[in-house]
Amino acid sequence: MKSSEIFNPTLREVPSEAEIVSHQLLLRAGFIRKNSGGVYSYLPLAFRVLKKIMNIVREEMDRAGGQEVLMPIIQPAELWQESGRWEVYGDEMFRLKDRHKRSFALGPTHEEIITTLVKQDVHSYRDLPLLLYQIQNKYRDEIRPRFGLMRGREFIMKDLYSFDIDEDGLDLSYKKMYEAYSRIFERMNLKYRVVEADSGAIGGNESHEFMVMASSGEAEIVYCDKCHYAANVEKAQCPAPEPDGAKRAEARPLEKIHTPGVRTVEDVMHSLAVPAESIVKTLIYWADGEYVGAVIRGDRELNEVKLKNLLGCNELLIADENQVSQVLGVSVGSLGPVGAEFKVYADQEIELMDNFICGANEDGYHLMNVNLGRDFVPETIADLRNAIKGDPCPVCSAELDTTRGIEVGHIFKLGTKYSEAMKATFLDKNGQERPFIMGCYGIGISRTMAAAVEQNHDENGIIWPLPIAPYQLIIVPINTKKTEQMDLAWSIYEQLSGQGLEVIIDDRDERAGVKFKDADLTGIPLRITIGPKALQENKVEVKKRWENETVLIAVEDIVEEINSILSQY
Ligand SMILES: [Zn+2]
């Protein structure tokens, strides 16, 4: 392909709305263009990358026994009402009505559709297991779509659903997908980690996320180098703190102190000269129509996922400060668990804290020498905080470390959540009716492309991993007016593309500097430069995008050299 003919309009300026590197570079290098918030067109170079990702995914899904189907994007409300998710899904679902005023959704996911499909046509254990997948656009009406392809409102997903006879069958399907996913990200040359994840609103029990490692990743991961335990921070359990023998302090009398203007944990630390470890903070939430308070140690971060799972609520929002003052008659900064007019849920660490300080549920006052049990009794005591670096590993007790990643794949054991709700059953060996045991397995295709850029770039542009690069190689003749340079460039081009390699030739009448800049920005992994000096010695320059130095290679050896590099990456 000639550079002059490729439709990849590059930008000199970084668009101001682009906050993260992948968004900036994909726009600048002419891979994507925005149509509306969170909705993008994929230009030719991007679509080549997406097709490569899809091909790898398809090959591995087929190899694991998956069969590809294509289901409708438009989904009738009745199916979602049957599963009970039409109400639960909330504003994230794009909803529409047809001319007969019937309600539909633009599919954010396909459990309802596939369960209905299988229920209609699969009736016997003999037809199981069944693994069906599709690659298709999905829709989610994000409140604030941002970060380019990372959190779009329309995005490309691969979703596979497994149907099994029993739990053992599900275990096997799950294992096959786990292995297929690992191969997929290895084949793309992406650095990734598999972590234990929270299965959240989708239900079910076991769940893993596949994370592409990137310092800009939105997900915090805790991991253990000793035993390979890794988990999303949302999921990572904090082990119950051990009471250290008889060293509990004696409970002192409860004391109310005047603390005007003291609102935050930092304020309390400064005004009373105490460490955060002796303070308890109260966070107030609006959970399915009522206020609940979560109490955790002053220096800890509340884990909203854990709280939400504990409450089993559909909606958990941090409460509005003004409303709290009006309804409870106390400002957020002075809330506390003693005498609270809301249900109190305590993190397990609070149980081992003696004589702590907290808000007095009265503006301008705090309580000192508070003790759980004597002064208040929470609804529940549970693990409610985020794990942090240095916490003991829940498996082997070594110290945990933290890193960041981007979630690109997620696998879930659903069990019978959908098959029971939607009465999807089969007849087992003994003629008994049983619900299908299901699993679901997703990969964000367009998100994987963005994650690959987040992980692989430098100040000059993208560095595509070879297996998913739009083209593998670019040939840059320094001066397109020199016939001998162009002749050699075309001759190498013919040889390499004749072997099936994807090659660009930069035939533009531009300065060499401009051509190099564009090649770097676009991220083509290999570059062959043909200049006058090298030509005198019958040599060309080879440069790997991810290395700084260039190597001179004799013209007659160039094809072999390129093949040798390609076989290594
Ligand atoms: Zn460990």
Side-chain angles (χ1 to χ4, degrees):
M1 188 78 186
K2 293 176 183 171
S3 283
S4 61
E5 291 173 354
I6 296 178
F7 178 49
N8 68 318
T10 53
L11 304 173
R12 294 293 157 219
E13 299 284 314
V14 178
S16 59
E17 71 193 62
E19 295 168 65
I20 59 167
V21 166
S22 60
H23 192 192
Q24 293 166 356
L25 289 176
L26 290 170
L27 283 170
R28 269 185 62 204
F31 280 67
I32 59 169
R33 284 295 181 264
K34 182 171 111 174
N35 298 93
S36 62
V39 181
Y40 291 85
S41 292
Y42 305 107
L43 275 48
L45 293 180
F47 198 49
R48 291 181 74 95
V49 175
L50 290 171
K51 280 188 286 188
K52 290 196 173 177
I53 295 173
M54 290 190 250
N55 281 343
I56 292 174
V57 168
R58 270 199 183 98
E59 283 175 19
E60 294 300 337
M61 289 299 104
D62 292 347
R63 187 164 132 178
Q67 300 177 61
E68 189 168 6
V69 294
L70 187 58
M71 290 180 279
I73 288 171
I74 297 180
Q75 308 185 358
E78 293 80 52
L79 297 186
W80 286 79
Q81 283 152 356
E82 221 181 307
S83 74
R85 289 206 294 179
W86 182 254
E87 300 302 328
V88 174
Y89 222 90
D91 291 339
E92 257 193 27
M93 186 187 258
F94 272 108
R95 294 163 205 253
L96 65 156
K97 283 197 192 322
D98 71 5
R99 64 175 73 202
H100 307 295
K101 305 281 176 276
R102 283 193 296 249
S103 294
F104 292 84
L106 294 185
T109 175
H110 274 72
E111 283 83 5
E112 280 77 3
I113 301 283
I114 194 114
T115 305
T116 305
L117 180 76
V118 169
K119 157 174 132 176
Q120 284 164 352
D121 287 293
V122 179
H123 305 295
S124 163
Y125 72 96
R126 288 191 199 87
D127 303 322
L128 301 174
L130 187 60
L131 281 69
L132 299 174
Y133 75 95
Q134 63 172 352
I135 297 179
Q136 191 196 50
N137 281 353
K138 294 273 188 277
Y139 297 85
R140 249 166 242 181
D141 194 2
E142 299 276 352
I143 291 185
R144 212 184 140 211
R146 56 202 291 225
F147 306 138
L149 302 185
M150 281 301 173
R151 198 173 304 160
R153 295 198 296 167
E154 177 183 86
F155 50 96
I156 309 172
M157 281 265 295
K158 183 285 301 178
D159 44 333
L160 183 143
Y161 304 87
S162 65
F163 293 83
D164 278 285
I165 296 171
D166 52 22
E167 291 292 335
D168 288 349
L170 173 60
D171 286 348
L172 190 62
S173 294
Y174 191 86
K175 184 165 174 276
K176 278 186 190 164
M177 283 302 121
Y178 187 107
E179 287 165 359
Y181 275 41
S182 303
R183 281 196 300 272
I184 286 167
F185 296 108
E186 265 153 38
R187 284 183 59 186
M188 291 183 202
N189 279 0
L190 294 172
K191 290 184 274 301
Y192 73 100
R193 250 178 207 278
V194 191
V195 306
E196 284 182 15
D198 181 77
S199 47
I202 200 159
N205 31 48
E206 197 173 354
S207 165
H208 285 90
E209 281 171 351
F210 287 72
M211 298 273 191
V212 165
M213 308 315 298
S215 53
S216 60
E218 91 275 64
E220 195 175 355
I221 298 162
V222 296
Y223 66 95
C224 172
D225 270 335
K226 273 241 172 78
C227 74
H228 306 295
Y229 169 82
N232 191 319
V233 83
E234 289 174 352
K235 163 84 181 186
Q237 317 145 10
C238 304
E242 302 273 330
D244 46 357
K247 279 192 240 155
R248 298 287 304 251
E250 203 173 303
R252 291 193 291 266
L254 190 66
E255 210 180 305
K256 187 160 109 178
I257 46 169
H258 191 40
T259 49
V262 171
R263 292 179 51 84
T264 64
V265 169
E266 286 71 34
D267 293 346
V268 178
M269 286 166 70
H270 291 138
S271 75
L272 301 178
V274 290
E277 290 86 339
S278 59
I279 303 167
V280 161
K281 62 182 169 188
T282 305
L283 299 151
I284 189 122
Y285 283 87
W286 184 246
D288 286 356
E290 69 168 328
Y291 285 119
V292 299
V295 291
I296 56 169
R297 210 170 86 175
D299 55 339
R300 302 303 196 189
E301 224 174 86
L302 182 84
N303 184 316
E304 292 186 0
V305 173
K306 289 179 183 173
L307 179 62
K308 195 171 172 197
N309 288 345
L310 177 69
L311 297 174
C313 60
N314 287 323
E315 198 176 44
L316 183 76
L317 300 167
I318 190 96
D320 180 89
E321 289 196 17
N322 293 329
Q323 276 176 16
V324 169
S325 315
Q326 276 176 25
V327 176
L328 301 177
V330 53
S331 64
V332 169
S334 301
L335 287 171
V338 182
E341 287 176 31
F342 45 86
K343 284 182 184 161
V344 173
Y345 296 85
D347 180 66
Q348 56 192 8
E349 276 186 327
I350 309 287
E351 228 182 337
L352 291 186
M353 289 173 70
D354 300 310
N355 301 316
F356 58 79
I357 299 162
C358 63
N361 285 320
E362 187 179 338
D363 280 348
Y365 289 91
H366 276 75
L367 294 175
M368 283 178 75
N369 304 328
V370 181
N371 290 281
L372 186 148
R374 184 191 70 178
D375 303 319
F376 72 102
V377 179
E379 295 289 319
T380 315
I381 300 170
D383 169 21
L384 288 179
R385 72 171 173 94
N386 279 341
I388 54 163
K389 189 181 165 82
D391 273 347
C393 166
V395 177
C396 76
S397 298
E399 276 191 16
L400 291 176
D401 209 339
T402 55
T403 182
R404 301 196 81 85
I406 298 160
E407 181 200 334
V408 286
H410 204 161
I411 59 178
F412 296 95
K413 284 186 179 173
L414 296 172
T416 57
K417 181 178 159 100
Y418 296 93
S419 48
E420 274 181 2
M422 304 184 77
K423 301 188 180 57
T425 58
F426 65 97
L427 293 180
D428 73 6
K429 249 185 224 163
N430 307 317
Q432 292 279 330
E433 211 174 325
R434 288 175 179 279
F436 295 104
I437 313 286
M438 292 171 60
C440 77
Y441 316 84
I443 289 183
I445 302 286
S446 40
R447 188 172 236 251
T448 297
M449 173 164 77
V453 177
E454 290 294 331
Q455 185 182 83
N456 302 281
H457 66 270
D458 61 15
E459 65 281 8
N460 299 318
I462 305 170
I463 308 174
W464 289 109
L466 261 163
I468 59 169
Y471 288 86
Q472 293 153 320
L473 195 135
I474 182 164
I475 301 172
V476 181
I478 297 281
N479 188 338
T480 44
K481 295 200 179 82
K482 299 278 182 195
T483 325
E484 70 272 22
Q485 286 186 30
M486 286 312 285
D487 287 351
L488 181 57
W490 277 112
S491 143
I492 295 173
Y493 177 89
E494 296 298 341
Q495 289 181 66
L496 291 172
S497 35
Q499 286 190 359
L501 297 189
E502 297 150 304
V503 188
I504 301 175
I505 184 163
D506 196 341
D507 59 331
R508 297 172 305 162
D509 184 16
E510 290 278 4
R511 284 179 297 113
V514 171
K515 293 182 180 182
F516 293 160
K517 264 212 163 81
D518 284 347
D520 281 354
L521 177 62
T522 317
I524 306 303
L526 300 175
R527 189 180 85 201
I528 298 177
T529 309
I530 299 170
K533 219 171 142 195
L535 261 187
Q536 284 163 9
E537 300 166 40
N538 201 36
K539 282 178 177 162
V540 294
E541 257 180 37
V542 173
K543 185 177 178 300
K544 297 174 190 148
R545 175 68 182 84
W546 61 96
E547 285 176 3
N548 284 325
E549 59 275 15
T550 53
V551 194
L552 281 175
I553 302 291
V555 169
E556 59 271 24
D557 296 335
I558 188 66
V559 173
E560 199 184 326
E561 173 68 15
I562 295 299
N563 282 321
S564 141
I565 297 173
L566 290 177
S567 68
Q568 290 168 50
Y569 295 95

